[in-house]
Amino acid sequence: MEDLAEIRYADATDAKLIEFAMNGDQQAYREIRNRYNTRLSMTAIAMLNSLEKADQAVEHTWEAAWKELHEFKHESLFITWICRRLMKHIINNFLQPL
């Protein structure tokens, strides 16, 4: 693994940032989060039609993803993985029929 000092987070690939994050590097995870937070927020707003609920869903998704990052197997793009997690969370927690 490269030394973290050798890489600028903003210039790093998603794969490299995820590698660092999987090893506990919170700055790498923050960079990934910064890259994709707007996209996740827009998806959540479109699904929920509520900024407050969308913010809750996105925050939950990021927190859960940090804890379960080891489950990401690089079989898809990271944005696909995290967006799928967000949509499942929204469906299971906000869109279930009464």
Side-chain angles (χ1 to χ4, degrees):
M1 188 166 103
E2 292 179 45
D3 182 353
L4 300 180
E6 294 177 15
I7 192 162
R8 285 199 45 217
Y9 291 99
D11 297 332
T13 63
D14 286 358
K16 188 56 70 178
L17 289 171
I18 290 169
E19 176 188 338
F20 290 156
M22 284 180 168
N23 288 304
D25 184 340
Q26 291 184 5
Q27 186 175 348
Y29 192 69
R30 278 191 300 274
E31 179 61 33
I32 281 285
R33 188 172 169 150
N34 289 341
R35 286 183 187 183
Y36 297 115
N37 198 60
T38 300
R39 196 184 263 173
L40 288 184
S41 293
M42 297 306 287
T43 299
I45 291 166
M47 290 180 75
L48 293 166
N49 200 26
S50 165
L51 185 57
E52 182 180 343
K53 288 179 181 178
D55 287 344
Q56 291 171 1
V58 170
E59 186 60 32
H60 174 273
T61 300
W62 283 119
E63 289 174 5
W66 172 250
K67 293 175 187 169
E68 299 164 1
L69 196 56
H70 63 279
E71 294 179 11
F72 179 66
K73 304 295 183 203
H74 299 275
E75 295 168 352
S76 62
L77 296 175
F78 180 78
I79 187 58
T80 303
W81 181 78
I82 193 85
C83 197
R84 188 177 315 125
R85 294 180 67 90
L86 171 69
M87 290 187 288
K88 284 181 182 180
H89 175 70
I90 289 171
I91 290 166
N92 292 334
N93 295 281
F94 294 95
L95 300 180
Q96 289 294 313
L98 299 174

